[in-house]
Amino acid sequence: MPYITVESGSLSDKQKEELIKRLTEVSSEIMEVPQEFFVTTIKEVPDINFGIGGKTIDKVKAEYMQIFVNKNLHVHE
């Protein structure tokens, strides 16, 4: 029985449903195993518990958003 697990930040119920549906469909097709055999779990981990490059994800996201906002402001000037 194939087991798919995803670790992620917070997701909406709709996002979880879509992720489970599409991961199962694609995996079933590639592996040639019926969808009914797949088990999928999603583990949500708070951004403060993830780190990249020595920074927590919440700080990385905040920095990215600041760059994105500044970039868009310059495009519209």
Side-chain angles (χ1 to χ4, degrees):
M1 175 169 30
Y3 180 79
I4 300 168
T5 185
V6 176
E7 290 191 27
S8 142
S10 182
L11 298 170
S12 69
D13 289 348
K14 183 177 178 181
Q15 288 172 313
K16 291 176 200 175
E17 289 176 16
E18 185 69 14
L19 189 58
I20 289 169
K21 178 179 180 272
R22 292 177 64 184
L23 285 173
T24 301
E25 288 171 351
V26 170
S27 299
S28 173
E29 180 184 322
I30 291 169
M31 297 174 68
E32 299 179 358
V33 173
Q35 290 186 30
E36 294 77 19
F37 288 22
F38 282 83
V39 174
T40 305
T41 61
I42 297 172
K43 180 180 179 183
E44 291 179 289
V45 180
D47 287 347
I48 194 75
N49 291 358
F50 274 107
I52 296 177
K55 298 177 186 176
T56 58
I57 293 294
D58 57 336
K59 290 185 179 172
V60 172
K61 283 181 178 178
E63 290 172 4
Y64 174 81
M65 289 307 296
Q66 187 62 42
I67 291 168
F68 180 76
V69 167
N70 287 339
K71 186 177 181 180
N72 281 336
L73 287 175
H74 294 300
V75 169
H76 297 298
E77 291 178 351

